[in-house]
Amino acid sequence: MEKYDLIIIGGGTSGAYLAERMAKRGHSVLVAEKLPEEKVGAKYDIFHIEEKEFGRLEIPRPVKGDPAWAFEFTKNYNADPLNKFPKCQMNPIVGLHMREYTLLLLHRAEEAGAEIRCGCEFLDFTYDAAGKISGVKVVENGAETEIPARMVADCSGMAAVGRTKLPADYGVETDKLTDEDMFYVILRYVKLRQPEDYLDGSTFWAYYKAWIAPCADPAGAIIGLGACHSFDYAEKVFAELEKTVPLPPHDVIRVEKGRTPYTKNCDSMVADRFFVSGDAGNLTKSVNGEGVTSSMVQIGLAVDTLDRALRLGNTTRRYLWEINVKYNRTQGAEFAMLRALLVGVVNAAGFDEFQYAFESGIISDALLNAMNGSSIPMGAILNAAGNFMKGMATKKIRMSTVKAAGAALKNAVDISNHYKNFPDTPEGYAAWKQKADAIYRSIGKIR
Ligand SMILES: Cc1cc2nc3c(=O)[nH]c(=O)nc-3n(C[C@H](O)[C@H](O)[C@H](O)COP(=O)(O)OP(=O)(O)OC[C@H]3O[C@@H](n4cnc5c(N)ncnc54)[C@H](O)[C@@H]3O)c2cc1C
């Protein structure tokens, strides 16, 4: 049986992207996808990609008329819990059909030379006499077979079927996600009853972690909400939202439910002959749980190392370690910082304080633009600080919230610096991880 350079478990967007990048470098790549072709990428319909990401990640940019294209918009509003003081950022977003876009990426991987096998389910790893991964055991057409490989990548999504099957001391975190580590997302595809309500952009209500956004039908919208714990809890939050936010009159056409990791990324994403990416490595954005492009960023950082490792025949954890270093010191540090800030502020601030923050200008367009990578002008910082002080003086902001915000800021700085100091070699990892875990305990989980 052919021995592949790389077997990728899972043919979602992460697996397809990794397959294309590695096949382009001349490696023999097999994508083992458990679903039959007609179900690939069909877990939900619409997802978003920021326009600027297509060029940066060198991924196809569908346009109107293409099967994967659904709609696009530029205005992104962030609003208070009463929806009275929305702030607007201009950031072009493209709405895409998940199934069609996944198939497009898989097709590109195939064109680059990767082999895609649908209906091929990963069961377990095979190991050599030294206890190192030597391939995978799969079931295909009802028959179990073993396929040898020089490396295996887990891109199996939230289930992380490969990573969580590895021995606990293999070199990566092997724990499964709990209900507190994921967002339960409910999407209501609706038809708006009044033409004057048709959307010119999306609105996000941070207090509820909810949004309304355009969909493929110009007379329609997607009302979404993400919450930890359970779908039932997400429904309860939605009921609260409906009491304060005047949603436009609408009829629900269909409802989709899904889950996405909402926790820190795996700190080590490599082990001997092993790499993890995508939702399987919890690589989603800490702001909103989106994970398509953030995983591609990690893959982009990893490909040179994976390529070199395979060429040199050195696929040890030690050799692959630089992938951890490159990721954790950049996007990893940024996401960790934002997570600490968000968890601290969202957990502490009450309804009235959120309302005051929008009304007074503590939350401003400049601050929100900074979340999209722009720098914050000094005037905006001073303005926010002034309004914050005024809020304290007039008791619009509670002392306990001030303390919690201060602690969140400290945690954000600490965790960001800690990721930027991610150890150069595996030797420093145990001590680094111990400290990271201690900071994460202080950060806590989002409510
Ligand atoms: C409702 C909702 C809306 C979202 N919206 C956005 C958005 O707008 N933008 C964004 O960037 N992100 C969004 N996300 C998050 C995004 O969907 C994920 O981060 C992303 O799809 C993860 O891609 P992946 O390839 O890592 O995993 P997946 O897409 O889950 O792919 C994993 C693949 O592995 C396969 N697999 C699983 N087990 C096995 C096995 N044993 N053997 C072989 N194959 C296996 C699965 O069948 C699947 O095809 C959203 C999530 C939800 C739930």
Side-chain angles (χ1 to χ4, degrees):
M1 168 154 316
E2 179 183 352
K3 182 173 187 170
Y4 290 91
D5 289 334
L6 177 65
I7 291 179
I8 299 170
I9 310 167
T13 50
S14 309
Y17 187 67
L18 175 63
E20 189 225 2
R21 298 287 125 156
M22 292 302 287
K24 265 193 178 153
R25 304 276 182 125
H27 300 290
S28 58
V29 178
L30 170 68
V31 177
E33 166 54 56
K34 81 168 176 187
L35 295 173
E37 209 207 307
E38 61 275 16
K39 290 196 174 160
V40 169
K43 58 181 179 174
Y44 61 84
D45 183 12
I46 297 294
F47 76 106
H48 305 107
I49 291 190
E50 288 175 82
E51 165 79 51
K52 63 184 179 212
E53 299 289 17
F54 293 102
R56 178 163 86 117
L57 297 165
E58 297 175 350
I59 47 176
R61 199 299 197 188
V63 291
K64 194 170 181 175
D66 291 344
W69 186 92
F71 55 86
E72 38 199 273
F73 60 90
T74 297
K75 289 184 180 169
N76 299 262
Y77 299 93
N78 275 275
D80 49 296
L82 291 173
N83 204 39
K84 287 186 174 162
F85 304 98
K87 316 284 172 199
C88 181
Q89 293 88 57
M90 305 303 266
N91 183 25
I93 305 282
V94 183
L96 298 168
H97 294 290
M98 178 54 92
R99 171 162 164 77
E100 283 72 15
Y101 200 66
T102 305
L103 291 178
L104 181 59
L105 294 182
L106 284 170
H107 181 63
R108 276 165 56 104
E110 228 166 6
E111 276 184 343
E115 184 183 336
I116 317 290
R117 275 200 222 164
C118 293
C120 178
E121 182 176 359
F122 167 90
L123 296 178
D124 206 344
F125 295 99
T126 56
Y127 296 92
D128 65 13
K132 305 297 177 200
I133 290 171
S134 61
V136 295
K137 195 185 290 173
V138 297
V139 58
E140 210 174 359
N141 300 320
E144 281 189 24
T145 40
E146 292 185 0
I147 314 176
R150 297 171 65 207
M151 269 200 78
V152 178
D154 185 0
C155 294
S156 65
M158 286 183 70
V161 292
R163 177 173 65 76
T164 56
K165 266 246 153 67
L166 285 168
D169 61 354
Y170 200 79
V172 285
E173 288 141 81
T174 54
D175 26 322
K176 295 185 175 161
L177 294 177
T178 70
D179 287 344
E180 319 308 312
D181 299 322
M182 55 179 99
F183 260 179
Y184 288 80
V185 184
I186 302 178
L187 302 177
R188 288 170 162 78
Y189 287 74
V190 305
K191 194 100 178 166
L192 300 172
R193 290 190 198 141
Q194 303 168 165
E196 60 268 32
D197 290 331
Y198 293 178
L199 302 178
D200 67 342
S202 71
T203 298
F204 181 64
W205 296 281
Y207 180 72
Y208 296 107
K209 300 188 268 322
W211 61 94
I212 184 166
C215 69
D217 174 2
I222 303 172
I223 303 175
L225 187 140
C228 294
H229 315 302
S230 64
F231 285 120
D232 280 352
Y233 180 69
E235 288 291 10
K236 274 188 197 144
V237 180
F238 187 75
E240 289 298 310
L241 164 96
E242 279 189 304
K243 280 187 209 154
T244 67
V245 172
L247 292 173
H250 60 267
D251 298 302
V252 177
I253 308 296
R254 69 175 200 277
V255 176
E256 286 180 348
K257 293 183 176 181
R259 297 178 307 166
T260 180
Y262 193 75
T263 186
K264 66 175 197 62
N265 62 269
C266 291
D267 293 323
S268 176
M269 294 162 279
V270 298
D272 292 333
R273 302 179 191 165
F274 180 79
F275 170 64
V276 62
S277 184
D279 279 9
N282 308 334
L283 285 156
T284 45
K285 292 181 187 175
S286 43
V287 183
N288 54 18
E290 292 185 354
V292 173
T293 55
S294 49
S295 299
M296 291 174 177
V297 168
Q298 180 245 22
I299 291 168
L301 291 169
V303 161
D304 276 347
T305 313
L306 295 173
D307 175 31
R308 238 184 306 115
L310 284 166
R311 283 183 198 289
L312 295 173
N314 186 355
T315 50
T316 58
R317 179 177 187 241
R318 173 172 298 280
Y319 193 81
L320 299 173
W321 192 258
E322 69 181 22
I323 294 174
N324 289 336
V325 177
K326 280 187 195 166
Y327 182 81
N328 284 317
R329 289 185 187 173
T330 54
Q331 184 169 275
E334 186 197 330
F335 283 7
M337 181 198 68
L338 285 173
R339 182 178 312 287
L341 273 180
L342 276 175
V343 172
V345 173
V346 169
N347 285 0
F351 184 95
D352 291 346
E353 289 165 316
F354 254 92
Q355 195 57 36
Y356 174 76
F358 275 85
E359 193 173 335
S360 68
I362 293 173
I363 294 177
S364 62
D365 289 343
L367 185 78
L368 293 165
N369 279 325
M371 293 253 185
N372 281 327
S374 310
S375 55
I376 316 182
M378 190 42 88
I381 296 176
L382 293 175
N383 193 36
N387 286 322
F388 194 84
M389 306 293 260
K390 214 191 291 171
M392 279 166 60
T394 54
K395 298 209 170 11
K396 300 253 185 199
I397 300 177
R398 283 171 292 149
M399 209 49 199
S400 57
T401 308
V402 175
K403 277 190 191 150
L409 195 60
K410 181 180 179 319
N411 282 334
V413 172
D414 286 353
I415 198 74
S416 169
N417 287 338
H418 195 54
Y419 272 87
K420 285 180 185 156
N421 286 317
F422 191 84
D424 287 320
T425 61
E427 278 69 34
Y429 183 60
W432 182 92
K433 176 111 180 81
Q434 208 177 9
K435 185 167 172 201
D437 289 346
I439 305 175
Y440 274 118
R441 274 194 296 279
S442 170
I443 291 170
K445 309 240 172 182
I446 204 149
R447 68 168 152 79

